[in-house]
Amino acid sequence: MAIDPQEVIEAIDSESSRRILAAASREPMTASELEQALDVSLTTVYRQTNDLVEASFLEEETEISPTGDNYTSFKTAVRHIEFTVEHGEFRVDIQFRNDTIDRFGQLWRSLGG
């Protein structure tokens, strides 16, 4: 898959988007939890999470609480972003969290391993 460096830069160009990725890398968080943890407005959280989900850097999962209410949590989908400038080229390499090793680990844990 070809990665457009400009799209990557635009997805992480704001401090709040980088802070959201960092916070959601520890554990899935709702928009309200991100608002409180990062001390940014809920509007900013929603705008940034939408952009990060669109860029595939953040995953969203909607769950239903025991009371019947639904809520969405966000978790970071990217593990590593590397920018390389060499041999006359500018390259971006991205490693996503849900690669084969991660999926195997999830399966193993679900089996009690």
Side-chain angles (χ1 to χ4, degrees):
M1 169 174 73
I3 299 170
D4 180 1
Q6 187 61 37
E7 288 180 15
V8 174
I9 292 167
E10 288 173 4
I12 60 171
D13 71 342
S14 74
E15 181 181 354
S16 59
S17 65
R18 294 187 301 273
R19 291 176 65 208
I20 287 169
L21 284 174
S25 72
R26 290 187 294 264
E27 64 181 338
M29 299 180 79
T30 65
S32 296
E33 290 169 336
L34 288 166
E35 173 192 31
Q36 292 173 359
L38 304 177
D39 194 30
V40 296
S41 73
L42 196 54
T43 303
T44 298
V45 169
Y46 281 120
R47 185 178 66 249
Q48 296 299 331
T49 55
N50 284 336
D51 291 347
L52 291 167
V53 167
E54 187 175 305
S56 299
F57 290 173
L58 203 62
E59 295 176 349
E60 62 182 329
E61 185 174 300
T62 302
E63 297 182 31
I64 299 174
S65 72
T67 61
D69 297 327
N70 64 10
Y71 64 95
T72 300
S73 61
F74 300 94
K75 67 179 180 177
T76 303
V78 65
R79 178 188 308 268
H80 180 83
I81 300 173
E82 180 178 14
F83 296 92
T84 306
V85 180
E86 64 182 0
H87 307 297
E89 294 181 345
F90 184 87
R91 196 175 74 234
V92 178
D93 295 309
I94 300 176
Q95 181 182 23
F96 291 91
R97 290 187 179 277
N98 220 1
D99 59 17
T100 303
I101 294 170
D102 287 341
R103 287 192 300 270
F104 179 76
Q106 290 170 351
L107 174 63
W108 182 255
R109 285 187 298 278
S110 73
L111 296 174

